[in-house]
Amino acid sequence: EAGVTQSPTHLIKTRGQQATLRCSPISGHTSVYWYQQALGLGLQFLLWYDEGEERNRGNFPPRFSGRQFPNYSSELNVNALELEDSALYLCASSVGLAGFPETQYFGPGTRLLVL
Amino acid sequence: AQKVTQAQTEISVVEKEDVTLDCVYETRDTTYYLFWYKQPPSGELVFLIRRNSFDEQNEISGRYSWNFQKSTSSFNFTITASQVVDSAVYFCALSETQGGSEKLVFGKGTKLTVNP
């Protein structure tokens, strides 16, 4: 069974540009989560989508946004890139709203570098 | 507020030594879930274990074992007879159930280096 996949693996952008990161969950999973792992800041929760809806959002500015498609894949968009957005962006998936936290399985991540 | 503390930033051991990674958590919730993940140099987080707050039984999986003590809010992870392939950053994480947030709150991680 295929795991969570993310694309691209690496992305280089300049300040002010927009970045789009993509994630495909494990088959049968309806929830997708995005986390940012920046140097020195650890792993921080960004967004959670389930059944096409944004369910929860971390403490990030509105220029971080995303969506979930009918096939449950997801996109993370970062507008007006800043140098501090350079980080590893990890996507995870789980079986979805079960009334309790299901295990989140992570993809390999997208390394975003903002110059 | 939820908080996970992994006081050990880095640990270095020699192969075949046993090593324990500490994890202390804070939560106001009575129902919560604890996780351990491994992050090798490739970057992908690998799930190791999930434990809910009602299950305080220790668990053993091969060379890995976990000690959950609700009284001290700790969920420690022990690797027995460590191997070079165990070298990675290990994260402890907490998820609450209230409000259906389902976000994971991670500790800062412990970097384990196993030397041959």
Side-chain angles (χ1 to χ4, degrees):
Chain A
E1 182 182 294
V4 177
T5 59
Q6 292 186 245
S7 64
T9 53
H10 292 81
L11 192 56
I12 300 175
K13 295 283 186 178
T14 56
R15 275 172 53 187
Q17 284 189 314
Q18 179 196 42
T20 298
L21 289 63
R22 295 180 178 84
C23 171
S24 290
I26 292 170
S27 177
H29 286 188
T30 63
S31 273
V32 170
Y33 311 79
W34 288 94
Y35 292 84
Q36 182 197 64
Q37 188 176 24
L39 207 60
L41 294 179
L43 278 152
Q44 297 185 80
F45 168 75
L46 258 168
L47 290 159
W48 169 33
Y49 292 95
D50 187 83
E51 296 286 358
E53 302 280 334
E54 183 180 299
R55 301 291 179 178
N56 198 9
R57 183 183 181 84
N59 190 22
F60 281 84
R63 57 191 187 82
F64 286 84
S65 65
R67 54 180 170 165
Q68 187 178 33
F69 300 99
N71 66 353
Y72 303 113
S73 67
S74 177
E75 221 172 62
L76 173 69
N77 294 294
V78 188
N79 294 319
L81 284 165
E82 299 179 2
L83 295 178
E84 52 264 34
D85 296 334
S86 295
L88 177 66
Y89 289 84
L90 290 162
C91 172
S93 74
S94 76
V95 294
L97 290 171
F100 53 85
E102 289 284 352
T103 298
Q104 295 180 24
Y105 296 92
F106 285 79
T110 293
R111 293 188 184 274
L112 173 64
L113 177 61
V114 182
L115 302 174
Chain B
Q2 300 170 283
K3 186 179 178 182
V4 176
T5 302
Q6 294 180 256
Q8 305 147 309
T9 307
E10 291 192 45
I11 299 176
S12 182
V13 299
V14 176
E15 214 171 10
K16 296 183 184 174
E17 278 187 43
D18 298 347
V19 57
T20 295
L21 309 182
D22 297 333
C23 172
V24 174
Y25 62 91
E26 293 176 32
T27 178
R28 294 180 187 173
D29 217 358
T30 53
T31 304
Y32 51 90
Y33 288 74
L34 295 161
F35 301 79
W36 275 94
Y37 287 87
K38 172 183 179 179
Q39 187 176 41
S42 60
E44 182 171 348
L45 281 174
V46 178
F47 166 72
L48 295 176
I49 190 171
R50 181 180 87 158
R51 174 67 84 224
N52 73 53
S53 51
F54 295 110
D55 183 0
E56 290 194 66
Q57 279 193 340
N58 291 332
E59 177 149 343
I60 299 174
S61 176
R63 296 185 296 108
Y64 295 170
S65 62
W66 291 269
N67 184 304
F68 176 31
Q69 294 204 343
K70 216 167 171 178
S71 58
T72 56
S73 297
S74 65
F75 186 42
N76 296 336
F77 172 33
T78 298
I79 301 174
T80 303
S82 60
Q83 299 176 2
V84 172
V85 293
D86 295 327
S87 298
V89 181
Y90 290 86
F91 291 93
C92 181
L94 167 69
S95 182
E96 290 181 344
T97 56
Q98 270 194 353
S101 69
E102 293 213 17
K103 69 175 185 180
L104 288 173
V105 174
F106 286 88
K108 295 289 188 187
T110 297
K111 183 178 180 181
L112 174 64
T113 302
V114 182
N115 298 299

